[in-house]
Amino acid sequence: MTSHSNLAAVAALVLGTSLAAPVLAQPTAVTLEGDVKVVHEVVENGKTRETLDEPNQVLPGDRLVFTTHYRNAGDKPVTDFVVTNPLPAPVKLSQTGAFEVSVDGGKSYGPLAALKATGADGKPRAAELGDVTHVRWRLASIAPGASGDITYFAEVR
Amino acid sequence: MNTGARHLKSLLPALLALPFAVPAAAAGVAAGSLIENTASATYTANAATQTVDSNTVALKVDELLDVAVASQESGAVSATTTAVLRFKITNTGNGPETFTLTANPAVGGNAFNATVLGLAIDTNGNGVYDAGIDTDLANGAVSPSLAADEPLAVLVRVSIPAAAPPNALSKVELTAAATTGAGAPGTLFAGAGVSGGDAVVGASGATHTADATLTVTKAVVTLTKSATVADPFGGARPVPAATITYRIVAEVTGTGTVTGLTVNDAIPAGTTYQPGTLTLEGAALTDAADADAGQGSASAIAVQLGDLAAGAQRTVTFKVKIN
């Protein structure tokens, strides 16, 4: 997986973008390919290990891993690469990761620990994994031909 | 039940309205729900902002088979001849399911076994069996389909055998088993779930049993008859002209009250009733059918003891002479 944690570089790249003439109807250079697997725990020789299986069967409580494979198929770097993934309603995020999350339907993003949600009593409370509505990855740039996977784990509610 | 289409429509409002509206039952997302995931990206290429969506990956949630049965009785249910035991069945799975309902009155440790007359769905929810209103089910019949999380009030109607002693306890079990199948958790019934998905046995094994206890409330009458012989010679030999004093003790045990109790006894052949010897609790009764409780005649005596509560005891005596 390519690095996608260099968030600080994003601002610099935005400022440093060259003022090339606008190009219209440029073919899409980046492709996204989604996949999902079910995470199963297998005990072998007394050790538990996780396997990723085809989701032939999905039940409440199952843990899923959603993967998006991205690739810059163009011959130039792309910048300010932001991938947004609304969580399907039937799942809840099961762990945080190298991504930002939103608990307000994608209006605002941040680390989960910094976000607030509204509790059953109508008062603000610390946001929890189950509150997450969107996850978002930000990569400063993708070199031509470069590719990688971004993933999140979620549990079927 | 196919909730997939409904789910898709609900996704958009869910993004706007928080907290997330999820079609989740206690057992989880409804069977047949679709989980669809699409990522989208924006990026800058050649100084222009571009967007791209991923393909959408879609999963269908399979059906989890689970059930819970609970007695709705807080203690032992008193019964004399019949009783109704209240249970609640809950579909704790995530899809609509029917359940085979079986009442078992022969539970280990029972002092007696009740007879199951039948089951009924407590249609009006009043906890009482209302013939003609509540839906009768044969023992072993299949319930109506219950949606995920839906409860069903089930009445088990039993009769108490006449031989059941007072205060005896007896358990009656009710078992609900998913008709799609039951078994060890994880057992798979391929294609048997909602909208063609699989059905998988959940933690309950897709079958569950609960019991309720009956206690017999009834009064039992015990009659004990004894005889004392007095011969004309001061002895106790049953010879002609000897007098036999019969003593009948009526004892009521158990719980409750017996009503309209009458003690009848025929005068034995070869003996002659001695008029005016009938007593109740030591007090003389006239032989005539009149205001007092007793009647005596050459053929029989009768004493009306009336209503007696458990614990009461009455003694009747009368005398005959051996011919």
Side-chain angles (χ1 to χ4, degrees), chain B residues 123-246:
Chain B
T123 311
N124 57 7
N126 65 354
V128 174
Y129 174 63
D130 299 304
I133 296 171
D134 293 335
T135 305
D136 287 305
L137 288 180
N139 192 13
V142 173
S143 76
S145 180
L146 301 181
D149 283 347
E150 186 178 352
L152 182 70
V154 174
L155 305 174
V156 178
R157 300 164 47 230
V158 296
S159 67
I160 313 300
N167 302 320
L169 298 175
S170 178
K171 285 182 176 174
V172 176
E173 292 177 340
L174 181 64
T175 298
T179 53
T180 298
T187 303
L188 170 71
F189 299 98
V194 171
S195 50
D198 293 337
V200 178
V201 173
S204 69
T207 180
H208 192 227
T209 299
D211 61 53
T213 302
L214 293 164
T215 179
V216 178
T217 301
K218 68 177 174 187
V220 173
V221 178
T222 310
L223 296 179
T224 307
K225 186 175 180 180
S226 58
T228 309
V229 179
D231 67 35
F233 317 108
R237 286 173 298 172
V239 296
T243 299
I244 305 172
T245 302
Y246 285 112

Side-chain angles (χ1 to χ4, degrees), chain B residues 35-62:
Chain B
I35 299 174
E36 297 191 299
N37 191 67
T38 309
S40 58
T42 62
Y43 58 93
T44 304
N46 297 327
T49 297
Q50 312 264 356
T51 65
V52 61
D53 286 346
S54 74
N55 57 309
T56 297
V57 293
L59 303 176
K60 187 156 65 182
V61 176
D62 291 307

Side-chain angles (χ1 to χ4, degrees), chain A residues 41-144:
Chain A
E41 291 193 343
V42 180
V43 179
E44 263 178 8
N45 301 326
K47 286 181 182 169
T48 303
R49 97 187 149 80
E50 290 185 341
T51 64
L52 300 183
D53 300 320
E54 288 302 319
N56 297 324
Q57 239 176 65
V58 179
L59 291 169
D62 279 351
R63 206 149 69 96
L64 305 174
V65 54
F66 291 95
T67 302
T68 301
H69 182 76
Y70 62 84
R71 173 176 164 78
N72 182 356
D75 55 5
K76 292 197 171 63
V78 303
T79 58
D80 306 335
F81 183 66
V82 179
V83 179
T84 305
N85 195 151
L87 259 62
V91 305
K92 70 172 213 176
L93 194 65
S94 57
Q95 62 198 64
T96 55
F99 47 76
E100 299 170 297
V101 302
S102 171
V103 297
D104 59 5
K107 287 201 280 286
S108 61
Y109 285 86
L112 183 62
L115 300 176
K116 296 278 183 210
T118 304
D121 57 2
K123 293 177 181 158
R125 59 165 171 76
E128 298 164 358
L129 287 169
D131 299 321
V132 173
T133 62
H134 290 64
V135 294
R136 184 172 82 172
W137 295 262
R138 293 196 289 177
L139 278 69
S141 66
I142 312 173

Side-chain angles (χ1 to χ4, degrees), chain B residues 6-46:
Chain B
R6 181 154 35 110
H7 166 64
L8 286 180
K9 283 178 197 151
S10 74
L11 189 57
L12 189 57
L15 298 180
L16 307 170
L18 296 174
F20 237 21
V22 174
V29 177
S33 296
L34 287 178
I35 299 174
E36 297 191 299
N37 191 67
T38 309
S40 58
T42 62
Y43 58 93
T44 304
N46 297 327

Side-chain angles (χ1 to χ4, degrees), chain B residues 96-144:
Chain B
E97 183 65 25
T98 58
F99 298 92
T100 303
L101 305 177
T102 310
N104 170 29
V107 178
N110 275 355
F112 70 95
N113 291 335
T115 301
V116 175
L117 301 174
L119 312 181
I121 296 166
D122 189 9
T123 311
N124 57 7
N126 65 354
V128 174
Y129 174 63
D130 299 304
I133 296 171
D134 293 335
T135 305
D136 287 305
L137 288 180
N139 192 13
V142 173
S143 76

